[in-house]
Amino acid sequence: MFPYQYTSAIIGIILGLIIFFLIKHDRLHVKFAFFWFIIAVAVIFLGVFPKFFDKIGNFLGVSYPPVLLLVLALSLVLLKLLRTDIERSKLEQRIKELTQRMAYLEGIIESKEHEKQ
Amino acid sequence: MIIRKSFFDKKILIIVPAYNEEATISNIISLIKGRYNLDVLVVDDCSQDNTRDVSQKAGAAVLSHCINCGAWCAIQTGFRYALNKGYDIAVTMDADGQHLPEYIPFIIKPLEDNDADLTIGSYTGRGSAGRKFAWSFFRIMSGLSIMDLTSGFRAYNKKTFKYLIADESLIYDYQDIGIILFMLRCGMRVKEVPVLMEPRQNGCSRIFSSWWNVLSYMIDTSFIALTKRLFRDRRHLMCSVNNFK
């Protein structure tokens, strides 16, 4: 049977490499890239050393350590979603403001052109 | 109502947000210009028809959005214009013919008398049973005593302009409860003025156009009413009704 450690290591390394690739080719803004860089390192580390979580789980008194990983991962995903929505709200505000300013400036340009004619 | 001289002394801008309103917009502009010769600004929210050209021909100044971003966003563009051009008062009116220009002096009067910073032209005789239920529900949720919470026929004085284009006001989609609560939070005084309105001449309400839109609007507005109520200054809670004389 294929050892579990190999499976988790392969998944972790592939996911990590995809993230590194995206960061390297500037597909992620710096402020998001740092978060994903940490995630990539963590995913590779935990993929290669899956037993690490068992030790943390035992230390924290969690009877079934993989649950700890799921809870932490889910919390992180929720936090990330929250942050994404905050960013999206900000972007929407900026788009509205830009639309309003652009309409106003276009109005000024048009009235100046009318004056020239 | 006898129109006072001060009405003509003030620099007043009528802001009409418009989206595909070519059928009615010309008539609205002509009525306003014919009756009071006020400056009219049409903010064309990326219409696909000839709203822009029709408005310009009717004598209005026109600003056009390059993307459709909603009625409140269009009204805010109007406030930016009003602020930059030094207007004293801005009146918002719908482009569908519901709001009657003859009531402009009525809703402006409390601003001239310095009794309010924002007035709402209120007509509770309009609307279906569903709309009236929605108003009652929102009144309970928000704690406001204003009868017509969704009226777009409003007048704002100069003091309010800077708040109305602030970042905080960009999160809203409609000129309704959220804006009233926001104005109260900014320390502005709100008054309701009874007016008459006509049935809509063209199209239908964007909010009440489908059950899904109604549900979505109810959820969003209830949430705004409830959350903003929790965080607002209780001193500004009560809004009085100013009967027209």
Side-chain angles (χ1 to χ4, degrees):
Chain A
M1 203 172 80
F2 203 61
Y4 166 66
Q5 193 174 358
Y6 289 177
T7 314
S8 66
I10 290 167
I11 293 171
I13 288 168
I14 290 174
L15 192 56
L17 287 177
I18 290 172
I19 295 170
F20 285 139
F21 178 84
L22 290 171
I23 294 169
K24 187 171 178 275
H25 289 86
D26 297 330
R27 302 286 178 89
L28 284 168
H29 193 281
V30 176
K31 63 182 173 179
F32 307 125
F34 180 71
F35 171 84
W36 285 109
F37 177 79
I38 300 293
I39 293 293
V41 172
V43 162
I44 292 171
F45 179 78
L46 291 173
V48 176
F49 306 105
K51 298 275 181 205
F52 178 72
F53 244 92
D54 293 347
K55 283 179 186 163
I56 297 178
N58 289 333
F59 177 73
L60 293 174
V62 180
S63 56
Y64 185 59
V67 170
L68 180 66
L69 177 66
L70 288 176
V71 169
L72 281 177
L74 195 63
S75 307
L76 209 64
V77 168
L78 283 176
L79 276 175
K80 186 66 189 164
L81 274 176
L82 186 66
R83 195 184 142 94
T84 305
D85 273 0
I86 292 169
E87 292 293 335
R88 223 187 102 188
S89 304
K90 272 188 201 163
L91 279 178
E92 241 173 71
Q93 281 177 301
R94 291 281 81 81
I95 289 169
K96 281 182 183 178
E97 193 181 341
L98 279 173
T99 308
Q100 291 167 359
R101 282 177 186 269
M102 194 170 150
Y104 180 68
L105 290 172
E106 276 182 352
I108 290 175
I109 293 167
E110 266 177 36
S111 63
K112 294 246 186 247
E113 278 173 2
H114 275 292
E115 279 168 20
K116 273 185 196 169
Q117 288 164 6
Chain B
M1 185 190 193
I2 298 163
I3 299 169
R4 293 180 298 182
K5 190 179 167 291
S6 59
F7 176 81
F8 296 101
D9 291 341
K10 298 269 180 198
K11 216 177 158 196
I12 299 167
L13 176 70
I14 310 295
I15 301 170
V16 186
Y19 178 67
N20 293 342
E21 305 278 6
E22 65 176 8
T24 53
I25 193 92
S26 172
N27 189 35
I28 312 290
I29 298 165
S30 307
L31 281 173
I32 299 166
K33 291 233 159 234
R35 194 174 262 268
Y36 304 116
N37 197 27
L38 296 173
D39 291 347
V40 180
L41 172 73
V42 172
V43 184
D44 171 26
D45 195 20
C46 200
S47 298
Q48 276 107 49
D49 65 3
N50 284 323
T51 299
R52 181 189 167 89
D53 296 340
V54 171
S55 306
Q56 273 176 334
K57 274 182 194 150
V62 181
L63 295 179
S64 296
H65 283 174
C66 53
I67 55 166
N68 179 272
C69 62
W72 173 240
C73 181
I75 292 168
Q76 282 181 305
T77 302
F79 289 129
R80 285 183 192 280
Y81 182 90
L83 190 68
N84 286 320
K85 298 276 179 183
Y87 283 93
D88 300 309
I89 290 169
V91 177
T92 61
M93 290 178 77
D94 286 357
D96 55 18
Q98 275 195 94
H99 304 150
L100 300 168
E102 50 262 47
Y103 287 98
I104 293 172
F106 289 105
I107 65 165
I108 281 178
K109 188 174 173 289
L111 306 186
E112 288 180 317
D113 295 342
N114 198 24
D115 282 341
D117 301 304
L118 154 64
T119 51
I120 301 164
S122 160
Y123 180 51
T124 49
R126 75 195 162 105
S128 59
R131 188 190 286 247
K132 281 171 185 156
F133 168 77
W135 283 340
S136 307
F137 180 71
F138 291 142
R139 267 197 299 277
I140 295 167
M141 295 289 277
S142 64
L144 290 168
S145 55
I146 291 166
M147 297 305 287
D148 189 346
L149 289 161
T150 53
S151 170
F153 189 28
R154 298 184 182 185
Y156 297 83
N157 70 10
K158 207 178 196 171
K159 226 162 76 178
T160 62
F161 295 168
K162 67 175 178 203
Y163 298 114
L164 291 163
I165 59 166
D167 275 3
E168 292 90 333
S169 67
L170 284 165
I171 61 162
Y172 300 104
D173 289 327
Y174 306 102
Q175 186 188 212
D176 57 4
I177 297 173
I179 300 303
I180 298 171
L181 291 172
F182 176 65
M183 286 282 92
L184 291 170
R185 232 169 47 243
C186 294
M188 300 293 109
R189 297 158 300 158
V190 181
K191 271 202 172 181
E192 200 173 20
V193 180
V195 297
L196 289 177
M197 288 185 196
E198 287 280 298
R200 199 182 289 271
Q201 287 171 24
N202 182 39
C204 63
S205 164
R206 278 199 241 180
I207 297 170
F208 295 93
S209 58
S210 72
W211 281 106
W212 171 249
N213 283 351
V214 172
L215 183 69
S216 162
Y217 175 75
M218 291 292 285
I219 292 170
D220 289 354
T221 309
S222 305
F223 187 71
I224 288 172
L226 203 62
T227 51
K228 302 300 176 210
R229 182 186 187 178
L230 291 175
F231 303 120
R232 90 166 179 270
D233 188 341
R234 308 289 295 184
R235 280 177 306 166
H236 305 302
L237 192 69
M238 294 305 293
C239 300
S240 55
V241 175
N242 178 49
N243 290 309
F244 55 86
K245 295 161 191 160

